[in-house]
Amino acid sequence: MRNLDDLLAEGVSGRRVLVRADLNVPLDKQTGAITDDGRIRAVLPTLGALVQAGAKVVVCSHLGRPKGAPDPQFSLRPVAGRLGELLDAPVSFAEDTVGDSAQSTVAGLADGQVALLENLRFNKGETSKDSAERGAFADQLAALGDAYVDDAFGAVHRKHASVHDVPARLPHVAGRLVLREVEVLSRLTGDPERPYVVVLGGSKVSDKLAVIEALLPTVDRLLIGGGMCFTFLKAQGHEVGTSLLEEEMVETCRNLMERAPGKIMLPVDVVAADAFAPDAAHDTVPADGIPSHRLGLDIGPETVAGFAAVLSQAKTIFWNGPMGVFEMAAFANGTRGVAEAITKADAFSVVGGGDSAAAVRALGLDESSFGHISTGGGASLEYLEGKTLPGIAALEN
């Protein structure tokens, strides 16, 4: 897979370089302000190198899930402003993706300048399952560049026009972020230093079943928290009250535990509340003693201590999914405790993007104390599952 250094060695001064970035940042629903600029910061090394080399940089991205037509609440305009602040240079903003505004904005770029196109998903061709419709949009997008750089790891598992089809139309390379992500995840799927411990959380077992199936034969311990733990506890025959439960997955969880006895570690205590609310009455109860009228919203302190003991012995750690409802202060201690234990371990640690990465920042943890924080939750999981990622395959072609 060719990378950015290969493109820079060929020379990009005066050339239009189309960069697929992942600028899908969270926005405040009331003010429209960016609440976490981590994904914008992640693409800065690639953009900075291209600017320094004199390229005319054309950045494209999606934001949210618009329905194939312009929608003001999903505009990338706020991102253009923040990107300009971080680059310490103005970023031109195109009012459309491939139309008149995009064409004139790109045509007006001088060497070393940057433009951001409007949300790719305002065009239905971006996400179309019809290859002809997707290809037609890719033709228009590719016409805005002389070379293509994919630095959107969070989107490489999508068979979308800007990720899968544009690389076939332009000289293409992997950006700094994508290259780093692939290098890191390859360490986990190759021959990781042991003990290799995986921490999985989040709400649903069904969302993580494929990665559990893939990892179970290779990991030394699998620690499970978050809402998904209650389906496993139910499979052990415990009462889970009104906690999140996937009844149809109970038998699957039972089979997983039988296949790998002693390898899966579940909570021994949970924080159970009267309601799903930040001010709900709550207390810590044994995992096998959740009252029938209560729901678990976090793992308890004994579980945190047990997980921390296992993590302290690990040499390789992968973490994906919070341990509880970390957005509510009363139910954030489990996620915080496990995250802190990961930072203290003498291990190569990878945070698997998504809510886990958001939790690291929301809880004010030192990002540099983790080995790597992925920008792609779904992409990192699919990579570990062994799936072919359309965006990576397109770069390798």
Side-chain angles (χ1 to χ4, degrees):
M1 187 166 63
R2 297 177 75 241
N3 62 61
L4 184 66
D5 288 337
D6 297 318
L7 181 63
L8 293 173
E10 295 169 2
V12 294
S13 181
R15 297 175 68 190
R16 300 169 305 160
V17 179
L18 182 66
V19 179
R20 177 50 161 108
D22 179 10
L23 306 178
N24 185 28
V25 295
L27 301 175
D28 184 277
K29 290 182 179 178
Q30 274 69 47
T31 66
I34 297 167
T35 58
D36 181 355
D37 65 2
R39 283 178 171 159
I40 304 176
R41 292 178 179 276
V43 76
L44 293 179
T46 288
L47 298 184
L50 288 167
V51 167
Q52 189 71 27
K56 299 176 179 179
V57 185
V58 183
V59 184
C60 61
S61 176
H62 73 285
L63 193 154
R65 295 180 181 273
K67 306 298 183 183
D71 185 336
Q73 68 175 319
F74 296 117
S75 175
L76 280 167
R77 182 176 286 280
V79 175
R82 182 57 180 150
L83 181 58
E85 292 172 358
L86 293 170
L87 288 171
D88 196 25
V91 171
S92 302
F93 182 66
E95 302 286 346
D96 55 30
T97 306
V98 293
D100 293 342
S101 179
Q103 293 172 36
S104 62
T105 300
V106 173
L109 286 175
D111 295 359
Q113 290 187 336
V114 180
L116 175 62
L117 306 179
E118 184 55 285
N119 195 333
L120 290 165
R121 292 185 182 175
F122 286 0
N123 303 74
K124 60 182 181 179
E126 166 68 0
T127 59
S128 177
K129 290 182 170 55
D130 180 273
S131 59
E133 184 175 32
R134 208 173 57 243
F137 178 57
D139 287 340
Q140 293 177 288
L141 199 54
L144 298 174
D146 302 308
Y148 170 86
V149 178
D150 190 344
D151 216 27
F153 183 75
V156 294
H157 60 315
R158 306 293 187 193
K159 193 173 183 179
H160 291 170
S162 64
V163 174
H164 176 263
D165 299 277
V166 171
R169 291 157 168 79
L170 290 173
H172 51 271
V173 301
R176 296 258 160 91
L177 174 63
V178 165
L179 190 66
R180 170 67 175 159
E181 295 270 15
V182 171
E183 288 173 347
V184 165
L185 294 173
S186 294
R187 289 180 62 175
L188 301 184
T189 55
D191 185 20
E193 190 176 358
R194 298 184 179 279
Y196 175 23
V197 178
V198 170
V199 186
L200 291 181
S203 57
K204 295 181 178 181
V205 178
S206 54
D207 290 343
K208 304 285 172 68
L209 179 61
V211 78
I212 292 173
E213 295 270 10
L215 290 173
L216 206 52
T218 62
V219 302
D220 296 295
R221 297 299 295 274
L222 179 58
L223 316 183
I224 293 181
M228 62 188 289
C229 78
F230 299 106
T231 303
F232 279 91
L233 291 172
K234 184 73 170 181
Q236 288 186 323
H238 301 319
E239 167 68 56
V240 297
T242 59
S243 304
L244 188 63
L245 175 67
E246 289 183 284
E247 192 72 53
E248 71 280 5
M249 298 296 295
V250 171
E251 186 61 31
T252 299
C253 291
R254 186 177 294 117
N255 290 337
L256 287 169
M257 290 186 287
E258 289 175 353
R259 278 168 44 195
K263 187 174 280 192
I264 295 175
M265 187 172 180
L266 298 175
V268 294
D269 61 345
V270 301
V271 180
D274 286 343
F276 188 87
D279 58 351
H282 61 275
D283 52 29
T284 302
V285 300
D288 60 358
I290 301 172
S292 60
H293 66 287
R294 286 195 154 188
L295 72 162
L297 295 181
D298 196 12
I299 59 174
E302 284 189 41
T303 301
V304 171
F307 283 9
V310 173
L311 291 165
S312 70
Q313 302 300 310
K315 289 299 180 185
T316 305
I317 299 170
F318 175 73
W319 168 37
N320 180 278
M323 297 292 99
V325 188
F326 72 91
E327 298 90 345
M328 301 179 188
F331 312 112
N333 291 332
T335 301
R336 182 188 300 279
V338 168
E340 289 177 344
I342 292 171
T343 66
K344 293 173 184 175
D346 181 20
F348 173 64
S349 59
V350 178
V351 181
D355 287 341
S356 313
V360 168
R361 290 189 279 269
L363 297 174
L365 301 171
D366 181 6
E367 295 183 46
S368 66
S369 58
F370 297 90
H372 178 70
I373 298 180
S374 178
T375 56
S380 63
L381 289 180
E382 290 195 17
Y383 191 97
L384 294 183
E385 289 167 26
K387 288 186 176 179
T388 297
L389 306 184
I392 300 299
L395 293 175
E396 291 174 339
N397 190 348

